[in-house]
Amino acid sequence: MPELPEVESVLRCLRDAPISIIGRTVLKVNILRENVITGDQQQFVSALTGSVFKEIRRHGKYLFFRFTESCGTKSVWMMLHLRMTGKLFLVPENEAQLKHTRLSLLLDKGLALRFDDPRAFGRVQLVQSIAEITGRLGPDGLCLEQTELLQRLAKQKRQLKPLLLDQGFVAGIGNIYADEILFRAKLHPCSRADRLDSQELTLLCTAITEVLQQAVSLKGANIDGVFEAGMFPVAVYGRAKQPCPVCSALIQREKLAGRGTHFCPVCQICKI
DNA sequence: CACTCTACCTGTGCGC
DNA sequence: TGCGCACAGGTAGAGT
């Protein structure tokens, strides 16, 4: 499941592609599965056909592509969320299409931007302004101001795991990195934020930033059969009944907030 | 407000 | 070998 570090890797791949996506004209829009588009499909096709890629941004797990009309200056944004299994490819247009391609943008210079998504959870939407989406989100996980984060954390009465998963609190953390962050901070997923002492709060803030930054630098997580390129080593996620890398106690898995939650019962202390 | 449940999806991996 | 089924999870929206 792509989270902030994986989405950031996608963005950097596109930005660093041999033939840049910036400046490309959209020659044809091909929607291969109707519900991949939120909103009116005809409008989506007509808005993008003939328009030019100008810019790519990311906030949390959301990607935003800015286009302008070929002769004008009016901008429109394409929002893309990969959800569980979405993947984005910039490929030569003659490359064979994958089985689960949901959306394909044919570009000039013989390129195609393809969105492939077996589970079909991913969504694409046109917005006039990215604030339509980011207005509901907290600060991006890579741009956290530690003092402000500390103050916001200390006020929260919620359990740490659901809090970290709340995109309105911090944008970009998903199930994998929530577990990894709590392990690094040595905090139990059931602990309440407002019961932490100042040292623990600081530890948590540091862990959020460190885990996300390290995962970005390693191009995402390295999990069997889930991701390809990433080298970020998971300590607890998906490792139930395996020894904790710190104390060798067996990693425990429980369902919390409806999510599989992995933690070390010895290293991670609970403050309810 | 805080929390839980459900729908949306389909590939995977298990038990029988 | 193959069938059926539970399971995985991000988000929105409804319900408690």
Side-chain angles (χ1 to χ4, degrees):
Chain A
M1 357 39 262
E3 303 179 24
L4 186 155
E6 289 76 25
V7 179
E8 177 67 17
S9 293
V10 170
L11 184 150
R12 292 181 184 186
C13 268
L14 290 176
R15 194 188 270 161
D16 302 340
I19 304 178
S20 175
I21 194 171
I22 305 302
R24 298 283 66 73
T25 298
V26 180
L27 303 178
K28 194 170 191 302
V29 177
N30 208 352
I31 299 170
L32 295 115
R33 185 176 172 125
E34 294 188 8
N35 64 359
V36 71
I37 308 292
T38 298
D40 188 85
Q41 289 180 53
Q42 292 306 317
Q43 202 181 327
F44 182 88
V45 173
S46 60
L48 293 194
T49 306
S51 66
V52 181
F53 264 107
K54 289 291 179 181
E55 182 184 355
I56 314 174
R57 289 195 206 172
R58 181 193 57 74
H59 189 105
K61 304 171 202 171
Y62 293 80
L63 281 173
F64 299 95
F65 300 83
R66 189 168 67 86
F67 296 85
T68 55
E69 298 167 313
S70 56
C71 50
T73 50
K74 196 181 158 197
S75 283
V76 67
W77 293 88
M78 179 179 79
M79 179 280 278
L80 173 71
H81 196 301
L82 301 169
R83 292 283 184 103
M84 310 294 303
T85 53
K87 284 184 175 153
L88 203 56
F89 301 98
L90 183 62
V91 292
E93 59 170 299
N94 58 5
E95 190 160 306
Q97 196 169 284
L98 293 169
K99 191 179 170 187
H100 301 291
T101 298
R102 309 303 188 191
L103 174 69
S104 177
L105 303 185
L106 179 62
L107 311 175
D108 66 329
K109 299 209 177 182
L111 292 174
L113 183 69
R114 296 195 184 138
F115 175 52
D116 189 83
D117 186 14
R119 295 269 274 281
F121 265 31
R123 289 294 179 265
V124 181
Q125 185 183 349
L126 280 190
V127 290
Q128 296 309 308
S129 138
I130 59 173
E132 287 176 38
I133 306 292
T134 58
R136 294 183 267 113
L137 303 175
D140 180 75
L142 282 190
C143 312
L144 294 172
E145 210 281 298
Q146 295 285 310
T147 317
E148 188 201 333
L149 181 61
L150 263 174
Q151 288 168 355
R152 292 177 63 219
L153 260 176
K155 280 187 247 167
Q156 291 287 333
K157 296 173 182 172
R158 313 159 62 181
Q159 293 177 317
L160 296 178
K161 172 80 183 233
L163 179 60
L164 290 181
L165 290 176
D166 183 353
Q167 302 302 299
F169 186 72
V170 170
I173 301 170
N175 205 33
I176 297 168
Y177 292 106
D179 285 359
E180 295 302 313
I181 286 165
L182 291 174
F183 176 76
R184 178 156 328 190
K186 296 186 185 294
L187 294 169
H188 195 285
C190 292
S191 292
R192 274 175 55 159
D194 62 346
R195 301 291 164 86
L196 303 180
D197 61 37
S198 66
Q199 191 189 347
E200 290 164 336
L201 282 171
T202 306
L203 216 52
L204 181 53
C205 286
T206 311
I208 292 172
T209 300
E210 279 183 3
V211 165
L212 293 178
Q213 282 182 356
Q214 191 191 348
V216 165
S217 72
L218 296 173
K219 300 182 178 176
N222 181 7
I223 294 170
D224 287 350
V226 180
F227 302 126
E228 286 146 25
M231 291 299 289
F232 178 84
V234 291
V236 289
Y237 180 83
R239 298 176 58 88
K241 296 176 187 171
Q242 294 181 46
C244 164
V246 172
C247 76
S248 297
L250 296 187
I251 301 299
Q252 216 164 304
R253 182 182 193 279
E254 272 178 34
K255 212 160 180 116
L256 178 57
R259 306 294 153 77
T261 298
H262 314 73
F263 60 97
C264 171
V266 175
C267 291
Q268 293 173 255
I269 40 168
C270 188
K271 286 210 167 181
I272 297 175

